[in-house]
Every structure is written in C-alpha cells, then in structure tokens.
Amino acid sequence: MTVFDSVVRSRRVVAADGVVPASVGVRDGRIEAVDAYGADMPAREVTDLGDVALLPGAVDVDTGAHAPGQGLAESYRLVGTAALRGGVTCVVASPAPARPAITCADALQTHQRAAALSPVPVLFLGGVTPGTGPLDLADLQAAGAVAFRCSLSDGGAPDMASLGDARLRKSMAELAALDSVLLVHAEDARELGTPPVSAEQRPPRAERRGLERVIAAARVVGARTHVCPFTAAECAALLAAAGPIGVELSAQTCPHYLCLPSESLAQDSPAHACRPPVRSDANRRALWSALLAEESSITTVGSGHLPAHGLYTLEWSLSALWTAAHRRGGGLADLARWTAEAPAQLLGLGGKGRIAAGFDADLVAFDPLARVAVPGVDPSPYAGRELVGRVERVWIAGRGTGPEGGRVGSPADGP
C-alpha cells in the first residue's frame, strides 16, 4: 500500500470535477492521488481541514517586485512573504519597474539570483522595448522567461518605452515563432497626452484605442496576446469580438478594479496610483458582468501588486476577490480558475494551477466564511475594510509554510 508523505482532507476541495469532499495525497512534492474524503490513505502526516476549503495555490501574473530604496533580494523576500499570506504559491514577476529592467538575459539572471530569497517560487516575464530584437527574445526565453510583456504607453521604467504599431507587429511575429505569449499594457500613449495626464484621469478611450491596435496587430501575425490589466468595461465587447475573427486574445483584471469604485476612494488612497485608474461604480458592475459572462475573454485575475507605485495588494488579493465574487454568485471553483488554473494555462505551467494527480502540491487552506478586518494602517487600498475569506495555511510542493516562509510544525497540526 502506498504511504504518502502527507494527506490533506477537506469537505470542500476544488478539484477537477468541482468542489467535492476529498483527500489529497502528496509524495515528493507532487499530488499523487485525489480520493474520497474518508479514503484509507496512510501518510506520515495528515491534515483534516473540515469545512475549510482547499484551493490550488494562486499563480500571480505580472507582479511588481522591486520597491524604491530596497535591495533587489530584499524586495523579492518581502514579495514572497506577502504572497504566502495571500495564498499565492507562484509569483510571475513583471520586467519593470525594476532595476535592472528585465530586457536582456543578463538582467534576468540578476533577478533570478535575487529571487532565491523568496519563500515562494518566482518566474519572470521578459520585457519588450522598441530596441528588442529576435535574438534578445530568444535569449530571454532560453534563460527562463515564461512569457513577455510590453506597453503601448508607459512601461514603468525609462528602459521599457512604449511600442509603436510596426514594432508591436514585429515583436508579436517573433514571439509567435517562439510559441510564447505577449502581455500588453494596452493604454494608448497618444490618448494620454503629452505630458501624460495623471493616473486617475486616464480615460477609457485610451484602453479602447490600445485594444484596437493590439487586435489589428495580432490579427495580422497570429500571436497569442493577453491584455494586462483590463479595466474599461465599455471595451468588453471589443475584447470578446476578437475570438470570432481569429485573434487569440484574452485579458487580466485585478481585484481592486472589481472591488473599489472610484467614488469610494479616500483622497489619500494608494489606489489612485493605479494605471489604468480605478473607475466608477457603474464600470465596476459592468466589469463583473464581463468577468462572469459565459466564455468570458477576461480569463485571469492578478493582484496588480506594484510597490514602486505604492500598491501593496498581494496579501489581500484572494480575500478581496472572494468578498466581491461570492456576493454575485461566484463560487470557489471560479476563484480557483481565475487565480490559479487559467494563469498557469496561459503561461504553459503544466504542473501548476490544479488539484489533480501529477500536479505540484501547491495548496491553500481557505476559509470562505471567515471575516478579516484589514488594519487601518495597512498600506493596501483595502485598509480599514472588512473582507470575507481568509488564507489559513499554504503548502508549497507539499511543504507547509508559515507567514514568514519557514516550516511551521507539521500538516498534522491542522490549519
């Protein structure tokens, strides 16, 4: 009989066949079996979560890591710690703003070395600039970049300048040849003015114009493209129309766009720094409708964590998203799909994002009924708010971790 390293049981496991009572058997860092809740599964360590849900660990795409005035290694340590607290078991770091910006293989290797201090695995997006050539892209991919990112306006750093249409098409063609995906910040620079308007004044038409440019370019070259972040709900129909004309286009939004209407923001809220901005309550409701639509083109939800702009959202992202989702009839399976399964599929991370045999044992114990008061002094946009849903415990490759990334007892100790 198989003896597992550990078994985690829950009456609400988000598995391949829905939210079911189940037991998850782990050996050598991977899920080896998913069986009935009461199955006889001998293990060295056993955790019974009861009614606390078991989710696949979130894969957070386009996470900002480097904070001003902080060493790169320390930035990754702090981001990894926040990720653990927020139920994120894999961070996919943005190429900018960071020093150095990840626009060449040498810079990527600098970040990889610094990220060794992170208590969660860190993967990287390569940056695409007007001067990026096909050899740069190939070198970045060979060095470990899991996808690429560009901007049609401000890419977050001087060495991540915006792309014009010709460079956008050329980059898409080169990435299609590499079978990679391009994430695009799709606000159009020309719609933002010179100098650009302030963050909170950026109009929805900047996203619309940028989205039109992305669709036109991708239609010509057949590239896989993911708009990140997507906020202007009035553009949802344009996004949805891309598929029927043969454009492989999807999008990511963030919990603060889904939870925080601009009318409710305090004058000093860090959410004012969001680019694109947090929009009206009417836009927020329409964005939810687009996200919850059948076969929605908005497939992923990421934290939008960006300490360089004062946005510390990683720790509260899962709870904030669940707070709003369950009020609208969303379920735990939706939460897992938006934050884990779809991001892993987007980037081709075959071992992540699902609770199924053969996948990494990246697991999150999540209490969907627990109420969480965000401290009033918290640097996040959720400061002073009450959220619903709490991360109780995290396992990375089967190893139970605590809030600082260290080993905490054994899984038999419970959540």
Side-chain angles (χ1 to χ4, degrees):
M1 180 179 292
T2 299
V3 177
F4 298 98
D5 295 335
S6 62
V7 168
V8 184
R9 307 183 194 274
S10 168
R11 295 188 182 92
R12 287 188 280 191
V13 174
V14 183
D17 52 350
V19 181
V20 296
S23 297
V24 179
V26 175
R27 188 159 62 176
D28 296 331
R30 298 180 74 82
I31 298 170
E32 191 162 291
V34 179
D35 209 334
Y37 179 73
D40 182 16
M41 300 176 71
R44 297 183 181 91
E45 301 173 319
V46 177
T47 299
D48 193 332
L49 299 175
D51 289 330
V52 171
L54 188 66
L55 308 178
V59 177
D60 199 64
V61 178
D62 201 29
T63 315
H66 199 182
Q70 243 173 32
L72 194 56
E74 178 66 2
S75 291
Y76 280 112
R77 186 189 70 80
L78 292 174
V79 161
T81 299
L84 275 180
R85 290 173 176 160
V88 172
T89 57
C90 180
V91 166
V92 184
S94 181
R99 307 306 300 166
I102 306 175
T103 56
C104 65
D106 286 347
L108 173 55
Q109 289 164 1
T110 297
H111 283 263
Q112 288 169 330
R113 289 191 294 270
L117 283 183
S118 169
V120 305
V122 181
L123 303 175
F124 296 91
L125 301 174
V128 181
T129 74
T132 303
L135 290 179
D136 299 311
L137 298 177
D139 285 349
L140 278 163
Q141 187 179 65
V146 296
F148 294 83
R149 187 185 190 277
C150 72
S151 178
L152 305 186
S153 53
D154 50 351
D159 34 8
M160 279 285 291
S162 62
L163 299 189
D165 288 339
R167 181 67 255 183
L168 178 63
R169 286 193 302 271
K170 193 170 188 299
S171 297
M172 284 183 172
E174 291 161 355
L175 291 173
L178 294 174
D179 193 26
S180 191
V181 62
L182 179 64
L183 280 67
V184 184
H185 182 114
E187 286 182 292
D188 183 83
R190 288 168 292 187
E191 298 292 343
L192 301 180
T194 306
V197 296
S198 62
E200 65 267 27
Q201 292 176 321
R202 294 175 174 223
R205 69 174 181 272
E207 283 193 68
R208 173 171 287 277
R209 174 58 185 145
L211 191 55
E212 290 169 346
R213 291 174 57 194
V214 168
I215 292 171
R219 189 176 187 182
V220 170
V221 301
R224 291 188 293 135
T225 312
H226 197 63
V227 172
C228 180
F230 178 85
T231 74
E234 66 182 55
C235 300
L238 182 60
L239 182 69
I245 63 172
V247 177
E248 196 170 348
L249 179 67
S250 54
Q252 171 167 297
T253 193
C254 304
H256 39 274
Y257 296 121
L258 295 163
C259 299
L260 303 175
S262 58
E263 297 92 333
S264 75
L265 296 181
Q267 189 172 3
D268 60 350
S269 172
H272 288 297
C274 291
R275 305 178 188 181
V278 170
R279 302 198 188 277
S280 68
D281 187 52
N283 182 86
R284 181 178 66 99
R285 293 196 302 270
L287 189 60
W288 266 112
S289 295
L291 177 63
L292 292 171
E294 189 175 352
E295 297 185 6
S296 174
S297 296
I298 306 172
T299 57
T300 67
V301 180
S303 71
H305 188 82
L306 192 59
H309 292 173
L311 289 170
Y312 292 86
T313 54
L314 196 54
E315 181 174 347
W316 305 109
S317 183
L318 200 65
S319 297
L321 180 58
W322 176 246
T323 300
H326 87 282
R327 292 174 183 167
R328 292 164 172 80
L332 292 168
D334 298 312
L335 188 67
R337 184 178 70 256
W338 294 329
T339 63
E341 183 176 3
Q345 288 178 341
L346 173 74
L347 302 179
L349 308 180
K352 297 189 179 297
R354 294 176 59 193
I355 297 180
F359 281 70
D360 293 345
D362 296 339
L363 307 169
V364 175
F366 183 77
D367 187 342
L369 300 179
R371 295 190 172 271
V372 183
V374 182
V377 297
D378 193 86
S380 79
Y382 308 108
R385 298 175 183 265
E386 184 178 75
L387 303 178
V388 178
R390 181 173 61 217
V391 173
E392 300 282 1
R393 188 158 187 184
V394 178
W395 291 263
I396 295 177
R399 181 182 175 87
T401 60
E404 300 302 325
R407 178 76 169 169
V408 178
S410 71
D413 298 329

